[in-house]
Amino acid sequence: MFQKILKGIAIFALFIGLLVAGVELWFYKNQAEIFVKVKAAVNDEINGSLEIEGFRFRPFQDGFGFNFTLYNVVLRDSLYNQHKTDLLNAKLIHVALDFGSFYKGVIRLQNLVIQDGNATLFVRKDGYTNLSLFGAKKTKTKNKGGKGEQLIDKLGRIHLYNFGFHFADSTTGKKFGAVFRDVTNRVSHSDSSWNANINGPIFFEGLTFKPEKGGFLINQETFANLSLSYNQRKKHLYIRPSSELRVASQDIIDIKGLFDLSEKPAHFNLGFGARKIQISSALKLLPKKIAGTLDSIGVKTRVNTRVSVEGIFSHEPPAVHVVFETDTFQYQLPIGILRDMKAKGVYTNQADKTKPPGLLNTQVNVPGVKGLFETLPFNFDLKIDNITDPIALIRGKVKADSATVNGLLDPKRYVVRGGEAYIQIHYDGSLRNFYNPKTDQFNGKLVGRLNLDNLALDYVPREVHLSKVNGDIYFDEKDFLLPALNMNDGHNAMYVKGGITNLIPYLFGSPRILKASVDMNIPNWKMNWMEVFVGKRNVSKKTNKKKLKLSDLLDNVIDQMEIDARLQSKHMVYHHFSADNMKGLVTVKNNIVTLNNFSMNAFGGGVKISGSINNPYSTEPPKVQIKGNISNADVHSVFYSFNNFGQKAVTHLNLKGKLNTEFNFSANLKNDVTIIPKSMKGEVKLNLERGQVNNFEPFLKMKKLIFKNRNLERVRFSPIRNDLVLNGEEIIIKPMEIESNVMTLFLEGIYSFGNKTDISIEIPLRNLSRRDSTYQLNPHDPKNKKGSRIYLRAVDENGQVNLKLAFRKKKPKSEEEKDDKDNEEDKKDEKVKD
């Protein structure tokens, strides 16, 4: 039984095979007639012409069936003679007809292969399009029996190989170009729709919405996997969410969308998505102008993004909305690098809904951006308007401690030992160019506040140690305001208020002068700044390049800043010197500290001084220049305060009296602030009243020679007034009279801080008359200038000043040189006589 069934099936199969073979044989013999019939049928469906150079029936090309190949196919619309543009030009088209439909009298393309060709669609400025080729002919009436079928309804599988497709709309400027390298499109149909699946490599020449803005996907190799569907009733073309496009960087872009073709102009809504795509790769897909603008911001990272594009096929650009989230990235600033940043935000080209979409209406909102400025953590919100010339609104805050700040600094120059700093910042201005060097203006508005909480900072090169730094600093794009800043330098509590001008522009290269104007109050001042300024700067080797930029910047600010400081101190101490109610103006500029109109109570009287200290930080030593006056001062205190001016002959232990003087002094300094004696120069107008010298060694030595019974241990003087000249280590004493309760003296000569002391002393013999406690001082008595005298010389011998008897008054140096010359001449004359 089973064998009979198999035999029956075999006989039936043979019958069917012979029948089909017969049909194929018939078709092969009548292919020329069929080719004419098919060509005529297609021409009946179009409003134009179809030209085919060659035709070949290939029954076994795509399986057993009605398969044929067309060569050099040209499809043209009815107005080809005007525009001379082929709608289709292909070297080879292979067609496989649906076997079942063919015998029903309906032509359906089961498989369509187009190779080595181009299709060009256009819309002229007058609105004419060569797509009218597929409209019904005006001379042909529609089928009265029911619905007519469109050409798309007759398609099955389409394979495009090295086939170009171009579209240009002259009314809107939109255009599209692509080359289908090896793309397969499978089309399926239902009652009211058709579906297509496109798969294969596509080279995009560009997709342009507005010529002046540039095009998308310019010269980009891609691999497409697209799923399309078209609802004929609604005239909606859908790109299904499963569609994707792989670009040359191997990043995959998800695509979905809707084209509403029921309206004119057509409305569209597209969506794109990508994960972990490099921004540099994504920029290549954008118009050149937009890509250049975004690239100029300088962000390099990977990003997850969703893009929606909505608009109409018209002159207006579509609305674009982007949601993105970046991987960590870094951003270079002029003063350092923003590290480990992450951003999550949105972009739109229609920030103002009342205005049309466009680059001038763009906005980027990125809340909660976190990262590190080098090692300093920050958190800020960012909004950018108009990406063609980005205007940013930045609100942020930074919290720093010693560890995070030290990570920014060269530890051989700056060390933060403790405390915290809080920064709040608000910036509204250009993101691309913060500062315009041509106009010397900051391109935006900056405001902020810096709060310092118990900060401790060392400036290593000058051994400055600040601690307990507390206060708020307010700043804008030009100035820093210090309403109340308190600190301690290890010895003194200091209270500062004032401001710094042009700091922010200076950091960006402004030629304007960087200047600080402050009021500084140091109630009890143990002054140690002279050593800091005059001392040699320690130069450290710069080893960590990452930490150099900010440290170099701080060094430059400190060195170049001009400072005007109004100082005041209730009580100041410097070594032996002390003063009360000190006030004056200090100016620091080009390594020169200038003192202006300083006044203070010192030495029991008043002091006014002005001057400067210049430290060139070179082979030249620091130099001090000072002038001023001292009024009603205790001479004992003056000598003690200035360490007896570096000499031991007359000390504060020997002196009493009230000093009034005007002085002008200059000298070079060592780095320990001691004076280099040979460099001293100056003038002193001396006015000493109620002067008294006690236990002065030269006087005690004099007592051994003369006036043994007089009180040389305590010598009172009448007012002494004279001008002294300081030149190097020598003080030139002009001739002067000293009237005392012991004797009357006449002095002149040189007092030396070295070993060149040589002072002439004249003692009138009238001094032999006894002067007791009732003696009244009578300076400039003419009688003292008459009569015989005793001559003494005070000279330096082995580091001590000794008194010697002299037989005559020492002549001035000029006269001694003249006498020596005369003696030499006399000796020469005597030799001639001999």
Side-chain angles (χ1 to χ4, degrees):
M1 184 68 177
F2 182 70
Q3 291 179 347
K4 291 181 178 181
I5 294 174
L6 290 178
K7 186 176 180 180
I9 293 174
I11 294 172
F12 179 77
L14 179 61
F15 173 76
I16 295 298
L18 292 174
L19 179 62
V20 173
V23 173
E24 290 285 354
L25 181 61
W26 174 86
F27 189 88
Y28 182 77
K29 290 184 176 181
N30 296 278
Q31 59 179 305
E33 182 181 348
I34 294 173
F35 170 64
V36 173
K37 181 180 179 181
V38 171
K39 182 177 177 182
V42 172
N43 277 294
D44 286 342
E45 292 285 339
I46 62 175
N47 189 16
S49 64
L50 172 65
E51 297 179 5
I52 303 173
E53 183 177 295
F55 169 86
R56 185 175 181 182
F57 179 59
R58 295 176 178 269
F60 303 105
Q61 177 75 23
D62 284 315
F64 194 70
F66 299 108
N67 305 320
F68 54 89
T69 302
L70 310 178
Y71 298 96
N72 296 325
V73 178
V74 178
L75 185 62
R76 295 169 177 169
D77 65 305
S78 58
L79 297 183
Y80 169 80
N81 290 331
Q82 294 181 10
H83 52 72
K84 302 298 182 181
T85 302
D86 294 332
L87 190 149
L88 174 67
N89 191 321
K91 289 185 178 180
L92 183 148
I93 297 179
H94 180 75
V95 180
L97 298 179
D98 181 67
F99 189 87
S101 300
F102 182 78
Y103 286 106
K104 295 179 183 179
V106 178
I107 298 177
R108 293 188 184 277
L109 302 181
Q110 179 178 313
N111 187 26
L112 175 64
V113 179
I114 304 178
Q115 180 177 333
D116 297 329
N118 285 283
T120 303
L121 309 180
F122 65 81
V123 179
R124 296 193 311 198
K125 290 184 177 180
D126 60 3
Y128 174 78
T129 173
N130 61 351
L131 285 174
S132 61
L133 173 77
F134 299 107
K137 287 189 174 181
K138 296 180 182 179
T139 59
K140 185 175 178 68
T141 60
K142 291 185 180 180
N143 190 352
K144 296 180 181 180
K147 298 179 179 178
E149 289 188 304
Q150 296 184 6
L151 182 60
I152 192 68
D153 297 324
K154 305 178 187 298
L155 297 178
R157 178 178 177 269
I158 302 174
H159 185 184
L160 303 178
Y161 182 80
N162 194 26
F163 181 76
F165 178 83
H166 301 87
F167 169 78
D169 187 345
S170 299
T171 63
T172 62
K174 294 179 174 62
K175 59 182 179 179
F176 170 79
V179 177
F180 297 85
R181 302 290 196 196
D182 189 2
V183 178
T184 301
N185 176 18
R186 299 182 182 277
V187 181
S188 61
H189 308 272
S190 63
D191 291 339
S192 60
S193 65
W194 56 262
N195 303 306
N197 291 291
I198 301 173
N199 185 274
I202 302 175
F203 174 74
F204 283 92
E205 297 174 351
L207 176 61
T208 302
F209 291 98
K210 297 196 73 173
E212 65 273 17
K213 304 298 183 183
F216 295 86
L217 294 170
I218 300 296
N219 298 328
Q220 291 295 311
E221 292 282 1
T222 68
F223 190 93
N225 186 3
L226 306 177
S227 180
L228 310 178
S229 67
Y230 178 70
N231 188 303
Q232 295 174 319
R233 181 174 56 82
K234 294 182 178 180
K235 295 186 178 180
H236 286 181
L237 175 63
Y238 299 93
I239 302 177
R240 293 176 179 173
S242 59
S243 301
E244 61 183 32
L245 193 69
R246 187 173 70 241
V247 296
S249 61
Q250 301 305 308
D251 292 297
I252 295 176
I253 300 174
D254 300 327
I255 306 174
K256 64 179 181 179
L258 166 65
F259 293 86
D260 186 353
L261 306 178
S262 63
E263 300 177 356
K264 290 187 178 181
H267 179 273
F268 64 91
N269 190 331
L270 296 174
F272 304 92
R275 291 186 57 80
K276 303 293 183 180
I277 185 172
Q278 280 282 0
I279 288 182
S280 57
S281 299
L283 293 180
K284 296 177 182 178
L285 311 179
L286 300 177
K288 187 175 182 180
K289 189 172 183 180
I290 298 177
T293 302
L294 294 175
D295 189 49
S296 67
I297 298 175
V299 176
K300 311 293 184 184
T301 186
R302 292 185 179 272
V303 62
N304 297 332
T305 182
R306 298 298 307 177
V307 182
S308 66
V309 182
E310 184 176 2
I312 57 176
F313 287 101
S314 66
H315 295 281
E316 296 298 329
V320 179
H321 186 79
V322 182
V323 179
F324 61 88
E325 182 176 3
T326 71
D327 276 356
T328 56
F329 66 96
Q330 64 182 30
Y331 187 78
Q332 180 69 54
L333 292 176
I335 58 174
I337 300 176
L338 300 177
R339 303 180 184 277
D340 298 336
M341 292 179 64
K342 272 193 171 184
K344 183 178 181 180
V346 297
Y347 162 88
T348 180
N349 67 346
Q350 196 177 14
D352 186 347
K353 299 299 183 181
T354 64
K355 297 179 180 179
L359 291 177
L360 298 179
N361 198 11
T362 53
Q363 186 176 96
V364 180
N365 274 296
V366 191
V369 180
K370 296 181 179 180
L372 300 172
F373 173 61
E374 297 292 357
T375 57
L376 203 64
F378 63 82
N379 188 335
F380 64 82
D381 299 329
L382 171 66
K383 185 179 78 170
I384 303 174
D385 292 322
N386 182 12
I387 63 171
T388 59
D389 184 15
I391 302 300
L393 177 63
I394 302 174
R395 295 186 183 92
K397 57 185 178 181
V398 178
K399 180 180 179 181
D401 56 22
S402 58
T404 55
V405 175
N406 283 331
L408 297 171
L409 303 172
D410 181 358
K412 294 184 178 180
R413 287 184 277 175
Y414 299 92
V415 177
V416 178
R417 293 180 285 108
E420 293 181 330
Y422 304 86
I423 303 174
Q424 292 178 316
I425 188 171
H426 180 106
Y427 172 71
D428 190 355
S430 174
L431 182 64
R432 185 183 300 162
N433 299 306
F434 295 102
Y435 168 75
N436 187 339
K438 293 183 179 180
T439 61
D440 192 22
Q441 295 292 326
F442 203 70
N443 293 327
K445 182 65 178 176
L446 174 70
V447 293
R449 180 174 73 96
L450 168 62
N451 174 260
L452 303 175
D453 184 10
N454 208 30
L455 197 69
L457 172 67
D458 292 345
Y459 180 45
V460 179
R462 296 188 183 180
E463 298 184 355
V464 176
H465 309 285
L466 299 178
S467 62
K468 300 178 182 178
V469 182
N470 292 282
D472 289 327
I473 300 174
Y474 298 90
F475 57 89
D476 59 21
E477 68 274 10
K478 293 181 180 178
D479 303 325
F480 275 57
L481 179 64
L482 291 67
L485 191 63
N486 308 327
M487 66 188 74
N488 192 293
D489 67 354
H491 302 282
N492 310 287
M494 298 178 288
Y495 305 91
V496 181
K497 63 179 180 179
I500 303 173
T501 58
N502 300 324
L503 178 56
I504 297 296
Y506 179 83
L507 297 178
F508 286 89
S510 172
R512 283 182 282 179
I513 296 173
L514 177 60
K515 191 169 186 177
S517 299
V518 297
D519 293 330
M520 179 174 289
N521 180 20
I522 310 174
N524 293 289
W525 189 5
K526 185 179 179 181
M527 209 268 276
N528 57 349
W529 294 358
M530 283 283 290
E531 286 81 357
V532 172
F533 180 76
V534 175
K536 185 180 293 185
R537 184 184 300 179
N538 297 322
V539 179
S540 61
K541 293 183 179 181
K542 301 178 180 180
T543 55
N544 193 335
K545 294 183 179 180
K546 293 182 180 179
K547 298 181 180 180
L548 292 185
K549 181 163 283 189
L550 186 59
S551 297
D552 289 344
L553 192 62
L554 290 174
D555 280 352
N556 187 265
V557 168
I558 291 172
D559 291 341
Q560 299 302 319
M561 182 184 296
E562 296 183 8
I563 302 174
D564 287 339
R566 290 169 290 277
L567 283 177
Q568 64 176 0
S569 177
K570 189 175 182 180
H571 181 70
M572 186 193 76
V573 175
Y574 180 66
H575 298 301
H576 292 163
F577 175 78
S578 66
D580 296 327
N581 301 321
M582 185 208 71
K583 59 182 179 180
L585 177 64
V586 175
T587 300
V588 182
K589 180 180 180 181
N590 298 328
N591 294 324
I592 300 174
V593 177
T594 304
L595 310 178
N596 296 299
N597 300 321
F598 264 73
S599 65
M600 64 197 78
N601 298 329
F603 324 123
V607 179
K608 293 183 179 180
I609 58 172
S610 297
S612 66
I613 304 171
N614 181 10
N615 190 353
Y617 295 107
S618 64
T619 55
E620 297 181 17
K623 184 175 183 179
V624 61
Q625 292 179 307
I626 191 168
K627 64 179 181 179
N629 63 76
I630 300 174
S631 59
N632 202 30
D634 215 353
V635 69
H636 163 86
S637 179
V638 171
F639 271 66
Y640 174 76
S641 297
F642 292 107
N643 198 27
N644 297 308
F645 299 97
Q647 52 83 43
K648 298 179 181 180
V650 182
T651 72
H652 64 283
L653 299 174
N654 306 123
L655 297 173
K656 285 186 178 180
K658 290 295 181 180
L659 178 65
N660 292 277
T661 181
E662 295 180 7
F663 59 89
N664 189 345
F665 174 78
S666 68
N668 294 335
L669 302 174
K670 297 179 183 178
N671 292 123
D672 61 358
V673 200
T674 57
I675 292 174
I676 300 175
K678 292 183 180 180
S679 67
M680 295 189 298
K681 291 186 177 296
E683 296 179 356
V684 178
K685 292 184 179 295
L686 180 66
N687 182 2
L688 178 64
E689 297 182 353
R690 301 195 299 277
Q692 184 174 322
V693 176
N694 300 320
N695 300 315
F696 183 45
E697 186 67 25
F699 283 0
L700 298 180
K701 290 180 180 180
M702 184 188 296
K703 188 173 183 178
K704 294 178 181 179
L705 298 174
I706 56 175
F707 309 124
K708 296 182 179 181
N709 295 322
R710 298 192 182 183
N711 189 10
L712 289 176
E713 290 81 6
R714 289 179 174 81
V715 181
R716 294 181 294 106
F717 297 95
S718 64
I720 298 175
R721 298 179 178 88
N722 195 14
D723 293 341
L724 306 178
V725 177
L726 175 64
N727 187 8
E729 296 182 288
E730 283 76 49
I731 297 177
I732 300 172
I733 304 172
K734 297 180 179 179
M736 61 184 296
E737 177 185 354
I738 299 178
E739 169 76 357
S740 73
N741 63 325
V742 176
M743 68 189 78
T744 300
L745 304 175
F746 292 91
L747 301 178
E748 66 174 305
I750 295 174
Y751 177 79
S752 175
F753 295 108
N755 56 4
K756 296 182 180 180
T757 297
D758 190 356
I759 301 175
S760 293
I761 305 173
E762 300 179 26
I763 304 175
L765 290 179
R766 291 185 72 253
N767 285 298
L768 296 177
S769 58
R770 186 175 179 82
R771 295 185 180 183
D772 56 21
S773 60
T774 62
Y775 179 77
Q776 297 294 320
L777 297 176
N778 185 21
H780 307 297
D781 186 351
K783 296 178 181 180
N784 289 330
K785 298 181 180 180
K786 298 178 180 180
S788 300
R789 303 185 179 191
I790 297 174
Y791 296 98
L792 302 176
R793 291 183 68 182
V795 295
D796 189 288
E797 292 181 344
N798 299 321
Q800 292 186 344
V801 177
N802 293 318
L803 287 175
K804 294 183 177 182
L805 282 171
F807 296 102
R808 61 187 178 88
K809 178 181 178 182
K810 180 186 176 183
K811 295 181 180 180
K813 189 174 183 180
S814 59
E815 294 185 12
E816 286 184 354
E817 291 175 351
K818 183 178 179 182
D819 290 344
D820 291 341
K821 187 176 181 180
D822 291 341
N823 290 334
E824 289 178 0
E825 293 291 337
D826 292 341
K827 290 180 180 179
K828 288 180 181 179
D829 291 342
E830 290 179 359
K831 288 181 179 180
V832 171
K833 290 180 181 179
D834 292 340

